[in-house]
Amino acid sequence: MLPLYVTSGEPAGIGPDICLSLAARIDERPIVVLADMEMLKKRAEILNQNITLIEYQGQVESSLQGQLYVEHVPLNAEVVLGELNAQNSAYVLEQLRRSADYAMRAKSVGVATAPVHKAVINDAGIPFSGHTEYYQEFAGVERVVMMLATKTLRVALVTTHLALRDVPDAITAQRLHQVIDILLHDLKTKFKIAQPHILVCGLNPHAGEDGYLGREEIEVINPVLERYRAQGLRLSLSLPADTLFTPDHLKDADAVLAMYHDQGLPVLKSQGFGEAINITLGLPFIRTSVDHGTALSLAGTGLAKSSSLQVAVDLALDLARH
């Protein structure tokens, strides 16, 4: 049975801590953490956790409770808890490279990712804008879609890590078509929703208020949505984001499409921070992730919560069964 790989992320943060929590699981397939073996051993000792780390060599059965499969990725420099070190940026990227390579070559069912620190990777002279963009480039796909989810809400994004002043120019008819096509496809194929119902946020306050507060809804967004609606697909026209996220609107929705990062994600994270997950749609493999950062100050303290990683692994395994 093919494994699910889990990247341990930034070694000075809580990624290794929450990955160690996976030893408590019993799953139908192997879960393999990509990390430096000695670093994980030391972290388990610091956290006073009695965990047996097993070198993964292609085992097809799940590890026993209290055991954790690890594929060794060597560190470049010693880790000091809570202190970023650009020398270990290549170590972090090697985790991503291996996880993507295994998924693309059908040597795994996919990957779940612990957090990385974008700034320290860039400080090492390596251009890096995030997991999502890295996997997109590795897979060679033109467009991917970031979607975050809790147990009751899914929010996909038209634009992701852009400065706010650049967002309106990035929302084009072509981009909207690409994003909506991917969202519809993956909701149907990966989540088994036969006829997805999607609510779409407007870009401007009050969805432009008939052009008085901006014309993007009239000139770009709604014409695209009308084409999908004419095909019988269940997409709303652009709705004011300040009222869209209310129980009456959301009760029958399968997903919300937000125009930019901080339009939809604050609402979602206020509902389920620490238990929300990130799913990259449009990749030829499964990729889920935690919804939080590296939390450097919590590394090795025992205070880091692993709930988001646990849910990310749960979803990845569930999607693999599909």
Side-chain angles (χ1 to χ4, degrees), residues 99-159:
S99 66
D101 178 60
Y102 295 153
M104 291 291 290
R105 291 195 290 127
K107 296 182 69 174
S108 76
V109 295
V111 56
T113 57
V116 300
H117 198 287
K118 300 181 186 70
V120 73
I121 296 174
N122 282 280
D123 287 345
I126 306 170
F128 180 78
S129 55
H131 277 110
T132 302
E133 294 81 2
Y134 180 93
Y135 286 126
Q136 175 186 357
E137 182 176 353
F138 195 100
V141 294
E142 184 178 357
R143 179 78 62 197
V144 294
V145 175
M146 179 187 291
M147 183 172 79
L148 272 77
T150 65
K151 292 180 180 179
T152 59
L153 179 62
R154 301 183 186 97
V155 177
L157 303 176
V158 175
T159 63

Side-chain angles (χ1 to χ4, degrees), residues 228-268:
Y228 286 96
R229 289 162 62 89
Q231 299 172 42
L233 297 169
R234 302 178 66 202
L235 278 77
S236 73
L237 293 178
S238 56
L239 297 170
D242 62 345
T243 55
L244 181 156
F245 290 100
T246 56
D248 283 347
H249 278 98
L250 293 176
K251 63 183 179 182
D252 297 321
D254 295 305
V256 172
L257 181 60
M259 292 295 122
Y260 56 95
H261 188 281
D262 282 12
Q263 182 180 58
L265 298 194
V267 180
L268 181 136

Side-chain angles (χ1 to χ4, degrees), residues 155-167:
V155 177
L157 303 176
V158 175
T159 63
T160 53
H161 300 128
L162 283 180
L164 195 56
R165 68 172 64 248
D166 297 328
V167 168

Side-chain angles (χ1 to χ4, degrees), residues 281-300:
L281 307 180
L283 291 172
F285 56 86
I286 295 163
R287 184 260 167 157
T288 64
S289 181
V290 297
D291 72 335
H292 56 74
T294 53
L296 296 169
S297 63
L298 297 182

Side-chain angles (χ1 to χ4, degrees), residues 23-24 63 82 94 100 114 121 145 159-160 162 172 181 199 224-225 227 245 255 271 281 298:
S63 58
E94 176 61 13
I121 296 174
V145 175
T159 63
T160 53
L162 283 180
T172 62
D181 285 347
L199 302 181
V224 170
L225 297 175
R227 295 188 190 105
F245 290 100
Q271 289 190 8
L281 307 180
L298 297 182

